[in-house]
Amino acid sequence: DIQMTQSPSSLSASVGDRVTITCRASQGIRNDLGWYQQKPGKAPKRLIYSASSLQSGVPSRFSGSGSGTEFTLTISSLQPEDFATYYCLQHNTYPCTFGQGTKLDIK
Amino acid sequence: EVQLVESGGGLVQPGGSLRLSCAASGFTFSSFWMTWVRQAPGKELEWVANIKQDGGEKYYVDSVKGRFTISRDNAENSLYLQMDSLRAEDTAIYYCATGATAAKWGQGTLVTVSS
C-alpha cells in the first residue's frame, strides 16, 4: 500500500498567518491527490483536487501544489473558520490511502 | 445540490452483520463511482471501498476484504455496504462520498461493534 505521511501532525498558528502542510507519498502518485478539511463532529469537505485545483466554492486563500511524491497545502492568511484538521488522500493506487491528519489550532 | 444520506448504523455484537445504505440525490448517480470511508472515534480517516458506475469494478481495503461487500442500485440512486463478521475495530462513523476521489460527503452513520 502507498503510505501518505503528513507533517506536521499538529500546528498552532494565529489569524493572518501563512500555513503550509505537507504530504509525502511512499511512491509516485502523479497528481492523484486531494486535500480535505474536517471540523469537529462534521463530515470532511474537499478543498483541493488533482493536487492543485481549487474545489468550487472554496476560498482562494487555499492552494495546493506538488506532483510525484511531495505535496503541499497552503493557507495564505488564516481565518478563524480555518481551524480544523486537514487530510490528504491519494487515489492513484488501490487501496486509496489518507494521511494521518494535521490538526491546526489557535495559538 | 448534491445530497448523500447514510443510514443503517447501530450497535451490533462482534461477529454480527449490518447493511449500510446511502441515498443519493441532486446528481446523476449512475454516472459516478461511489466510495465508502470510515473514521474510528478520535482517529484518522480510512478509505474502505469503492465501486464503478455499473458495479463492474469494486475495490476494498485489505482489512475488510472477504467481510464487507459494496454494491449499488442505480434505479434507486442508492449505495450499500454489507458488513459481515464485524469486529470491534470496525467501530466507526461510515461516510459515503461521490466519485472515486471522494468529492462530496454525507454526514455519516455510526457503527458500534460491542458485546
Side-chain angles (χ1 to χ4, degrees):
Chain A
D1 298 1
I2 295 178
Q3 306 300 315
M4 301 301 295
T5 304
Q6 258 183 261
S7 60
S9 55
S10 64
L11 177 58
S12 293
S14 302
V15 172
D17 283 354
R18 180 183 180 89
V19 165
T20 298
I21 298 168
T22 298
C23 249
R24 287 188 175 86
S26 58
Q27 62 191 73
I29 59 169
R30 302 184 307 182
N31 69 337
D32 298 328
L33 181 121
W35 288 98
Y36 300 79
Q37 177 194 66
Q38 187 179 32
K39 296 182 179 179
K42 299 294 187 182
K45 170 188 171 183
R46 193 170 72 174
L47 305 173
I48 301 287
Y49 64 95
S50 299
S52 59
S53 297
L54 190 67
Q55 188 78 30
S56 175
V58 173
S60 59
R61 62 182 180 272
F62 292 92
S63 64
S65 65
S67 183
T69 62
E70 187 151 340
F71 303 86
T72 59
L73 172 71
T74 299
I75 310 171
S76 59
S77 178
L78 272 174
Q79 298 302 301
E81 61 267 30
D82 299 338
F83 292 95
T85 301
Y86 293 85
Y87 295 93
C88 60
L89 168 68
Q90 72 80 17
H91 55 86
N92 176 267
T93 301
Y94 287 113
C96 303
T97 43
F98 285 93
Q100 79 277 19
T102 295
K103 186 175 181 182
L104 176 56
D105 61 21
I106 300 173
K107 185 184 287 183
Chain B
E1 180 191 358
V2 171
Q3 274 211 316
L4 299 169
V5 180
E6 301 92 338
S7 61
L11 175 63
V12 61
Q13 292 189 337
S17 297
L18 275 179
R19 188 194 196 206
L20 305 185
S21 299
C22 170
S25 61
F27 65 105
T28 306
F29 180 78
S30 59
S31 297
F32 288 81
W33 283 73
M34 292 295 293
T35 296
W36 286 101
V37 175
R38 68 184 178 182
Q39 187 170 36
K43 300 295 186 182
E44 64 265 33
L45 299 169
E46 180 180 35
W47 182 91
V48 174
N50 70 8
I51 184 169
K52 195 176 178 180
Q53 290 91 329
D54 63 358
E57 291 183 42
K58 304 174 185 182
Y59 299 93
Y60 300 90
V61 68
D62 283 352
S63 59
V64 309
K65 278 181 187 174
R67 301 189 301 121
F68 289 12
T69 303
I70 189 171
S71 63
R72 64 192 295 161
D73 184 337
N74 288 340
E76 295 292 328
N77 291 336
S78 292
L79 175 71
Y80 304 103
L81 188 67
Q82 176 67 41
M83 305 187 297
D84 298 321
S85 303
L86 282 161
R87 305 166 180 167
E89 55 265 34
D90 296 317
T91 294
I93 296 172
Y94 285 74
Y95 298 98
C96 64
T98 62
T101 57
K104 301 285 189 183
W105 298 53
Q107 286 308 299
T109 187
L110 176 63
V111 172
T112 303
V113 184
S114 175
S115 53

Short mmCIF file of all heavy atoms in Angstrom, two decimals, chain B residues 7-13 15-21 67-69 80-86 90 92 94 109-113:
data_model
loop_
_atom_site.label_atom_id
_atom_site.label_comp_id
_atom_site.label_asym_id
_atom_site.label_seq_id
_atom_site.Cartn_x
_atom_site.Cartn_y
_atom_site.Cartn_z
N SER B 7 -27.59 5.67 6.28
CA SER B 7 -28.45 5.09 7.32
C SER B 7 -28.05 3.64 7.53
O SER B 7 -27.26 3.09 6.75
CB SER B 7 -29.92 5.18 6.90
OG SER B 7 -30.14 4.46 5.70
N GLY B 8 -28.59 3.05 8.59
CA GLY B 8 -28.34 1.63 8.83
C GLY B 8 -27.35 1.34 9.94
O GLY B 8 -27.14 0.18 10.29
N GLY B 9 -26.72 2.38 10.48
CA GLY B 9 -25.77 2.16 11.56
C GLY B 9 -26.46 1.77 12.85
O GLY B 9 -27.69 1.83 12.96
N GLY B 10 -25.67 1.36 13.82
CA GLY B 10 -26.23 0.98 15.12
C GLY B 10 -25.26 0.13 15.90
O GLY B 10 -24.09 0.00 15.54
N LEU B 11 -25.77 -0.45 16.98
CA LEU B 11 -24.98 -1.30 17.85
C LEU B 11 -25.14 -2.76 17.42
O LEU B 11 -26.28 -3.24 17.25
CB LEU B 11 -25.43 -1.13 19.30
CG LEU B 11 -24.78 -2.04 20.35
CD1 LEU B 11 -23.28 -1.77 20.45
CD2 LEU B 11 -25.46 -1.84 21.71
N VAL B 12 -24.03 -3.45 17.24
CA VAL B 12 -24.08 -4.86 16.83
C VAL B 12 -23.00 -5.61 17.61
O VAL B 12 -21.95 -5.04 17.95
CB VAL B 12 -23.88 -4.99 15.31
CG1 VAL B 12 -22.54 -4.43 14.88
CG2 VAL B 12 -24.06 -6.42 14.83
N GLN B 13 -23.26 -6.87 17.88
CA GLN B 13 -22.29 -7.69 18.61
C GLN B 13 -21.18 -8.15 17.67
O GLN B 13 -21.38 -8.28 16.45
CB GLN B 13 -22.98 -8.91 19.22
CG GLN B 13 -23.94 -8.56 20.35
CD GLN B 13 -24.44 -9.79 21.07
OE1 GLN B 13 -24.44 -10.90 20.53
NE2 GLN B 13 -24.85 -9.61 22.31
N GLY B 15 -19.03 -10.34 15.41
CA GLY B 15 -19.47 -11.46 14.59
C GLY B 15 -20.78 -11.22 13.87
O GLY B 15 -21.16 -12.01 12.99
N GLY B 16 -21.45 -10.13 14.21
CA GLY B 16 -22.74 -9.83 13.60
C GLY B 16 -22.61 -9.11 12.26
O GLY B 16 -21.51 -8.94 11.73
N SER B 17 -23.77 -8.74 11.71
CA SER B 17 -23.83 -8.10 10.39
C SER B 17 -24.66 -6.83 10.45
O SER B 17 -25.56 -6.69 11.30
CB SER B 17 -24.48 -9.06 9.38
OG SER B 17 -23.71 -10.22 9.20
N LEU B 18 -24.36 -5.93 9.54
CA LEU B 18 -25.15 -4.72 9.32
C LEU B 18 -25.09 -4.39 7.85
O LEU B 18 -24.11 -4.71 7.17
CB LEU B 18 -24.59 -3.52 10.10
CG LEU B 18 -24.98 -3.29 11.55
CD1 LEU B 18 -24.27 -2.05 12.07
CD2 LEU B 18 -26.48 -3.16 11.71
N ARG B 19 -26.14 -3.73 7.36
CA ARG B 19 -26.14 -3.23 5.99
C ARG B 19 -26.35 -1.73 6.02
O ARG B 19 -27.39 -1.26 6.49
CB ARG B 19 -27.24 -3.88 5.16
CG ARG B 19 -27.16 -3.54 3.67
CD ARG B 19 -28.44 -3.91 2.96
NE ARG B 19 -28.27 -3.96 1.51
CZ ARG B 19 -29.27 -3.76 0.65
NH1 ARG B 19 -30.49 -3.51 1.08
NH2 ARG B 19 -29.04 -3.83 -0.65
N LEU B 20 -25.35 -0.99 5.56
CA LEU B 20 -25.46 0.45 5.48
C LEU B 20 -26.02 0.85 4.12
O LEU B 20 -25.75 0.20 3.11
CB LEU B 20 -24.10 1.10 5.67
CG LEU B 20 -23.33 0.75 6.95
CD1 LEU B 20 -22.05 1.57 7.03
CD2 LEU B 20 -24.19 0.94 8.17
N SER B 21 -26.78 1.94 4.11
CA SER B 21 -27.31 2.48 2.88
C SER B 21 -26.91 3.94 2.74
O SER B 21 -26.68 4.63 3.74
CB SER B 21 -28.85 2.40 2.85
OG SER B 21 -29.28 1.07 2.94
N ARG B 67 -15.14 -9.69 4.08
CA ARG B 67 -16.16 -9.45 5.11
C ARG B 67 -17.17 -8.40 4.69
O ARG B 67 -18.34 -8.49 5.07
CB ARG B 67 -15.47 -9.00 6.42
CG ARG B 67 -14.48 -9.97 6.98
CD ARG B 67 -14.00 -9.55 8.38
NE ARG B 67 -13.36 -8.23 8.38
CZ ARG B 67 -13.79 -7.20 9.11
NH1 ARG B 67 -14.84 -7.32 9.89
NH2 ARG B 67 -13.13 -6.04 9.07
N PHE B 68 -16.73 -7.39 3.95
CA PHE B 68 -17.61 -6.31 3.51
C PHE B 68 -17.86 -6.43 2.01
O PHE B 68 -16.97 -6.84 1.26
CB PHE B 68 -16.98 -4.94 3.77
CG PHE B 68 -16.88 -4.53 5.22
CD1 PHE B 68 -17.11 -5.41 6.27
CD2 PHE B 68 -16.55 -3.22 5.55
CE1 PHE B 68 -17.01 -5.02 7.59
CE2 PHE B 68 -16.45 -2.80 6.87
CZ PHE B 68 -16.69 -3.71 7.89
N THR B 69 -19.07 -6.05 1.59
CA THR B 69 -19.41 -6.04 0.17
C THR B 69 -20.07 -4.72 -0.18
O THR B 69 -21.10 -4.36 0.41
CB THR B 69 -20.36 -7.19 -0.19
OG1 THR B 69 -19.77 -8.44 0.18
CG2 THR B 69 -20.65 -7.19 -1.69
N TYR B 80 -24.71 0.81 -1.11
CA TYR B 80 -24.82 -0.05 0.06
C TYR B 80 -23.45 -0.54 0.51
O TYR B 80 -22.51 -0.60 -0.28
CB TYR B 80 -25.70 -1.26 -0.25
CG TYR B 80 -27.07 -0.89 -0.76
CD1 TYR B 80 -27.39 -0.97 -2.11
CD2 TYR B 80 -28.06 -0.44 0.12
CE1 TYR B 80 -28.64 -0.61 -2.59
CE2 TYR B 80 -29.31 -0.08 -0.35
CZ TYR B 80 -29.59 -0.15 -1.70
OH TYR B 80 -30.83 0.21 -2.16
N LEU B 81 -23.38 -0.91 1.79
CA LEU B 81 -22.21 -1.61 2.31
C LEU B 81 -22.71 -2.71 3.23
O LEU B 81 -23.23 -2.41 4.32
CB LEU B 81 -21.27 -0.65 3.05
CG LEU B 81 -19.94 -1.26 3.47
CD1 LEU B 81 -19.08 -1.58 2.24
CD2 LEU B 81 -19.17 -0.31 4.40
N GLN B 82 -22.60 -3.94 2.77
CA GLN B 82 -22.95 -5.09 3.59
C GLN B 82 -21.73 -5.46 4.42
O GLN B 82 -20.67 -5.74 3.85
CB GLN B 82 -23.38 -6.28 2.72
CG GLN B 82 -23.68 -7.54 3.48
CD GLN B 82 -24.92 -7.43 4.37
OE1 GLN B 82 -25.91 -6.85 3.97
NE2 GLN B 82 -24.83 -7.97 5.58
N MET B 83 -21.89 -5.45 5.74
CA MET B 83 -20.77 -5.70 6.64
C MET B 83 -21.07 -6.95 7.44
O MET B 83 -22.03 -6.98 8.23
CB MET B 83 -20.56 -4.49 7.56
CG MET B 83 -20.37 -3.18 6.81
SD MET B 83 -19.93 -1.81 7.88
CE MET B 83 -21.38 -1.72 8.90
N ASP B 84 -20.27 -7.99 7.24
CA ASP B 84 -20.42 -9.26 7.95
C ASP B 84 -19.20 -9.51 8.83
O ASP B 84 -18.16 -8.86 8.67
CB ASP B 84 -20.58 -10.40 6.94
CG ASP B 84 -21.81 -10.25 6.07
OD1 ASP B 84 -22.86 -9.84 6.60
OD2 ASP B 84 -21.73 -10.54 4.86
N SER B 85 -19.34 -10.45 9.73
CA SER B 85 -18.24 -10.83 10.64
C SER B 85 -17.60 -9.60 11.26
O SER B 85 -16.37 -9.44 11.27
CB SER B 85 -17.17 -11.63 9.86
OG SER B 85 -17.73 -12.77 9.26
N LEU B 86 -18.44 -8.74 11.81
CA LEU B 86 -17.96 -7.47 12.34
C LEU B 86 -17.08 -7.67 13.57
O LEU B 86 -17.29 -8.59 14.37
CB LEU B 86 -19.14 -6.55 12.65
CG LEU B 86 -19.74 -5.87 11.41
CD1 LEU B 86 -21.14 -5.37 11.68
CD2 LEU B 86 -18.84 -4.74 10.95
N ASP B 90 -14.02 -2.41 13.75
CA ASP B 90 -14.85 -1.82 12.70
C ASP B 90 -15.72 -0.68 13.24
O ASP B 90 -16.43 -0.02 12.48
CB ASP B 90 -15.76 -2.87 12.07
CG ASP B 90 -14.99 -3.97 11.35
OD1 ASP B 90 -14.01 -3.64 10.64
OD2 ASP B 90 -15.36 -5.15 11.51
N ALA B 92 -16.88 2.72 13.99
CA ALA B 92 -16.51 3.95 13.29
C ALA B 92 -17.76 4.66 12.79
O ALA B 92 -18.85 4.07 12.74
CB ALA B 92 -15.60 3.64 12.10
N TYR B 94 -19.27 5.80 9.39
CA TYR B 94 -19.11 5.43 7.99
C TYR B 94 -19.74 6.51 7.12
O TYR B 94 -20.92 6.86 7.28
CB TYR B 94 -19.76 4.07 7.71
CG TYR B 94 -18.94 2.92 8.27
CD1 TYR B 94 -18.89 2.68 9.64
CD2 TYR B 94 -18.18 2.11 7.43
CE1 TYR B 94 -18.11 1.65 10.16
CE2 TYR B 94 -17.40 1.08 7.94
CZ TYR B 94 -17.37 0.87 9.30
OH TYR B 94 -16.60 -0.15 9.81
N THR B 109 -22.91 7.64 9.30
CA THR B 109 -23.71 6.84 10.20
C THR B 109 -22.77 6.06 11.10
O THR B 109 -21.76 5.53 10.64
CB THR B 109 -24.67 5.91 9.41
OG1 THR B 109 -25.55 5.26 10.32
CG2 THR B 109 -23.93 4.85 8.60
N LEU B 110 -23.11 6.01 12.40
CA LEU B 110 -22.23 5.40 13.40
C LEU B 110 -22.50 3.91 13.53
O LEU B 110 -23.64 3.50 13.75
CB LEU B 110 -22.41 6.10 14.74
CG LEU B 110 -21.61 5.52 15.92
CD1 LEU B 110 -20.11 5.64 15.68
CD2 LEU B 110 -22.01 6.24 17.22
N VAL B 111 -21.43 3.14 13.43
CA VAL B 111 -21.49 1.70 13.66
C VAL B 111 -20.67 1.39 14.92
O VAL B 111 -19.50 1.77 14.99
CB VAL B 111 -20.93 0.92 12.46
CG1 VAL B 111 -20.80 -0.56 12.78
CG2 VAL B 111 -21.81 1.15 11.23
N THR B 112 -21.29 0.73 15.87
CA THR B 112 -20.61 0.34 17.10
C THR B 112 -20.65 -1.17 17.23
O THR B 112 -21.74 -1.77 17.24
CB THR B 112 -21.26 0.99 18.33
OG1 THR B 112 -21.27 2.41 18.16
CG2 THR B 112 -20.49 0.63 19.60
N VAL B 113 -19.49 -1.78 17.31
CA VAL B 113 -19.40 -3.24 17.44
C VAL B 113 -18.92 -3.54 18.86
O VAL B 113 -17.78 -3.27 19.21
CB VAL B 113 -18.45 -3.85 16.41
CG1 VAL B 113 -18.46 -5.38 16.53
CG2 VAL B 113 -18.82 -3.40 15.01
#
